[in-house]
Amino acid sequence: MSQPKSYRRVVRHVTTGFAAILVFLALILPDQITRLPPGNHWQTALLRIPIEALLAGAVLLLLPIRWRRWTAAALGLVLGALTVIKLVDIGFYAILARRFDPVLDWTLFDDGFNFLIDSAGRPSATAVAIGALLGAVLLIAGMTWAMLRLTVVAAGNRRLAWPGLGVAGVAWVALFLTGYQLIGGIPVASTAAADLARDTALALPKDLADKRKFLAEAQDDAYRDRPGDQLLTALRGKDVVVSFVESYGRDAVENPAFNGAVLTSLADGDKKLAAAGFAARSGFLTSSTAGGGSWLAHSTFLSGMWVNNESRYRSLVATDRLTLTRAFKNTGHRTVGMEPGVIFAWPEGAFYGYDQVYDKQAFNYHGPQLSWSPMPDQFVMSQFQKQEYAKPNRGPLLAEITLTSSHTPWAPVPSMLDWDQLGDGSVYGPMVKSAATPKEVWKDDARIRTEYARSIAYSVDSLIGWAAKYGDDNLVMVFLGDHQPASVVVGQTASHDVPITIVAKDPKVFDRIASWGWTSSVKPAADAPVWRMDTFRDRFLTAFGPEGDPH
């Protein structure tokens, strides 16, 4: 009989120890990998005293037996849910450089699933999604069990539990008051779980308050009621192309670890444009998003509002805020949106003020899809040329063109072809078959960065190549990045800055922006001005309106 008793005692000790470790790690681990100490010092992150454990322990010991079990189970459920949110936060910081918003961000999981399909295939993506869901359920259940287990042990050993809580409590207070930290700025007196619970609980009222404030700001628009004959007077008769280059961030031109292909493309672009009679000016804008959420950046740039979450975006498109697109429409320009990534109904097009939106089907593309990107950027530009720019006897044109070849997972990357060879896109079939696949690229971080840079270079080549070949004296082209790429490329401390460039033949265009101090090249200098992206609309409308006349 002694052997079974000894075995049960060992099992009890092991399960209690496992429960304690599980709860302890859930309480003290950060929501960002970068908050762990560097190098081999990560173990110091474990030398912490979580205040939540002390408070919960004291409350559970004071409660009568009939309430103790239910309270322990509830605390376990909450801690399990918070741990799941913390793990999601780690993923969000790694990709989008921000934490997960439990109210607004659920729609992004669909984008994440589609990315997994592109990079790993549907079976693997489905397996990962199912595994993540089961893991979340098991984690919450396991945390609930752990809290129940520790409560039973503590209640059965009150003579040890109370002094232990008292000593730990005194130590926590002393460490908190002194602000004592170990390596990496991590305080030993931990409040990590309480902070996360507070932020999660406040998310809904915070988002509602932000929505009310944002809507009030959206209505304060000095340009909304301005007559068309007082808008963009310096661009009358001009054809204006505004193009967003997916994931074209500042690191693409400044990070020496991978920017070689982009620098070559920009240098060649300057030469091509100069040979065709064009000049360029470039600066930087600070995007409202990073790693993804292109539509947030697009709406920020075009509306002059800081749109950094889904709630703000949905609120904005329900207003009558004047966008750059609609401003051109009010001056008599035909306004078109070239949107190869739009595959479903897109009611937001009415808010922006397009006369016509070309979605994926309207491009008549019969080639292979390039992972997430429905078609190569050069093909998009060729279709814009055929369907809009080359039309005879047309009036002035405003085109917003979204380029997608540099969208994650940056494989396969197409090559530039002769413009007369593109046809219906079927020419890309052999090219895609011989190119690297996302599965191959995403096995190696260095190769991810290399392919990212190649994709940016291709997008820039497509834009500049089109302008140099087809652009006439009345063309004014504005192209910019929407956001920096994911942190797998730029790390988690990169800025949110993106390059922006204006290309034109008419020197009067540049006279209007001479005070901006932008670089005379398609590559902005390191010390080029940096503006928030939401300030561009008003600066542009001012510069090219009556008040911007340099004379």
Side-chain angles (χ1 to χ4, degrees):
M1 295 296 291
S2 61
Q3 193 170 20
K5 289 182 179 180
S6 176
Y7 173 76
R8 288 195 294 270
R9 187 180 304 111
V10 170
V11 171
R12 285 198 301 270
H13 289 326
V14 169
T15 54
T16 301
F18 176 75
I21 292 172
L22 186 64
V23 170
F24 179 72
L25 291 177
L27 290 172
I28 61 96
L29 286 181
D31 57 2
Q32 297 183 54
I33 296 298
T34 54
R35 289 183 178 174
L36 290 173
N40 296 322
H41 301 291
W42 62 268
Q43 298 94 335
T44 58
L46 302 178
L47 302 177
R48 308 184 72 186
I49 303 175
I51 185 62
E52 303 86 359
L54 307 182
L55 295 176
V59 169
L60 290 170
L61 288 176
L62 289 171
L63 285 174
I65 295 177
R66 61 179 180 175
W67 291 107
R68 187 182 302 146
R69 183 175 180 85
W70 289 106
T71 303
L75 290 174
L77 286 170
V78 171
L79 183 57
L82 288 174
T83 305
V84 171
I85 292 175
K86 187 180 294 186
L87 293 175
V88 175
D89 277 346
I90 290 174
F92 265 64
Y93 274 113
I95 302 299
L96 300 177
R98 65 173 177 83
R99 67 174 44 190
F100 169 68
D101 189 313
V103 178
L104 305 175
D105 285 337
W106 293 102
T107 58
L108 297 182
F109 287 105
D110 184 54
D111 291 335
F113 181 70
N114 290 331
F115 168 73
L116 283 175
I117 292 175
D118 290 337
S119 58
R122 183 172 292 274
S124 297
T126 302
V128 169
I130 294 174
L133 182 60
L134 290 176
V137 172
L138 290 175
L139 182 58
I140 294 173
M143 207 65 69
T144 304
W145 164 82
M147 285 297 299
L148 289 170
R149 176 63 187 164
L150 294 176
T151 299
V152 170
V153 172
N157 295 272
R158 289 173 175 269
R159 292 183 178 180
L160 295 176
W162 277 117
L165 288 174
V167 170
V170 170
W172 187 91
V173 171
L175 292 167
F176 178 79
L177 293 176
T178 60
Y180 184 74
Q181 299 177 350
L182 293 171
I183 296 174
I186 298 177
V188 177
S190 170
T191 60
D195 293 341
L196 180 60
R198 178 200 62 214
D199 293 341
T200 302
L202 293 177
L204 179 57
K206 180 181 177 181
D207 290 337
L208 291 175
D210 179 75
K211 181 177 181 178
R212 289 192 294 269
K213 178 183 177 183
F214 180 80
L215 284 172
E217 292 174 352
Q219 296 303 317
D220 184 15
D221 186 355
Y223 285 97
R224 181 182 57 198
D225 299 323
R226 183 169 295 191
D229 60 4
Q230 297 180 29
L231 287 170
L232 300 165
T233 52
L235 295 175
R236 295 292 167 82
K238 300 291 188 186
D239 296 315
V240 180
V241 172
V242 177
S243 184
F244 293 97
V245 179
E246 171 67 35
S247 299
Y248 180 31
R250 184 167 189 155
D251 278 56
V253 299
E254 292 188 347
N255 194 321
F258 54 81
N259 67 351
V262 179
L263 293 183
T264 299
S265 173
L266 294 174
D268 291 344
D270 272 329
K271 295 176 183 178
K272 290 177 182 177
L273 290 172
F278 287 97
R281 301 290 186 272
S282 299
F284 291 106
L285 300 178
T286 300
S287 177
S288 60
T289 184
S294 302
W295 61 96
L296 304 179
H298 295 189
S299 56
T300 295
F301 180 82
L302 294 172
S303 73
M305 296 293 298
W306 189 252
V307 185
N308 61 347
N309 60 52
E310 190 68 14
S311 176
R312 287 189 163 207
Y313 178 74
R314 293 297 171 192
S315 297
L316 174 67
V317 298
T319 70
D320 60 353
R321 178 83 177 183
L322 182 72
T323 64
L324 280 179
T325 315
R326 190 174 295 281
F328 276 99
K329 182 184 179 74
N330 291 348
T331 67
H333 281 68
R334 171 171 165 78
T335 56
V336 299
M338 312 300 291
E339 306 293 342
V342 172
I343 58 177
F344 301 111
W346 192 48
E348 293 95 324
F351 161 74
Y352 287 113
Y354 297 116
D355 291 315
Q356 183 171 350
V357 173
Y358 290 82
D359 61 10
K360 178 183 176 182
Q361 299 302 320
F363 285 91
N364 300 316
Y365 178 69
H366 295 280
Q369 181 157 326
L370 290 84
S371 190
W372 188 93
S373 179
M375 64 196 70
D377 291 342
Q378 187 184 8
F379 185 86
V380 172
M381 298 307 300
S382 71
Q383 288 298 300
F384 167 63
Q385 172 67 22
K386 294 175 181 177
Q387 299 195 49
E388 287 290 341
Y389 193 74
K391 283 182 178 178
N393 302 318
R394 60 170 176 78
L397 180 68
L398 180 283
E400 189 270 290
I401 304 176
T402 301
L403 300 182
T404 62
S405 290
S406 52
H407 195 286
T408 51
W410 306 304
V413 179
S415 301
M416 290 293 292
L417 300 173
D418 187 282
W419 291 88
D420 296 328
Q421 294 179 349
L422 301 183
D424 65 357
S426 56
V427 67
Y428 290 103
M431 183 187 298
V432 170
K433 286 183 180 179
S434 62
T437 65
K439 289 182 181 180
E440 294 169 339
V441 168
W442 281 72
K443 292 178 181 179
D444 181 358
D445 286 352
R447 191 171 185 186
I448 292 173
R449 299 184 186 99
T450 298
E451 296 304 297
Y452 159 73
R454 288 185 62 233
S455 72
I456 294 294
Y458 170 76
S459 295
V460 171
D461 287 344
S462 298
L463 269 176
I464 294 178
W466 171 82
K469 182 175 178 63
Y470 297 109
D472 62 21
D473 293 348
N474 286 321
L475 175 65
V476 176
M477 184 166 71
V478 182
F479 70 91
L480 68 152
D482 48 12
H483 54 69
Q484 287 263 47
S487 61
V488 68
V489 175
V490 297
Q492 295 189 3
T493 59
S495 73
H496 284 205
D497 296 347
V498 298
I500 179 170
T501 298
I502 294 181
V503 174
K505 286 187 178 182
D506 186 351
K508 293 180 182 178
V509 171
F510 299 115
D511 290 343
R512 290 280 180 152
I513 62 171
S515 63
W516 290 5
W518 284 16
T519 307
S520 297
S521 170
V522 292
K523 176 187 177 297
D527 61 350
V530 181
W531 307 334
R532 275 194 11 160
M533 189 176 281
D534 57 333
T535 67
F536 183 83
R537 187 205 71 160
D538 285 8
R539 289 178 184 266
F540 189 84
L541 291 174
T542 298
F544 292 101
E547 62 269 50
D549 189 340
H551 303 294

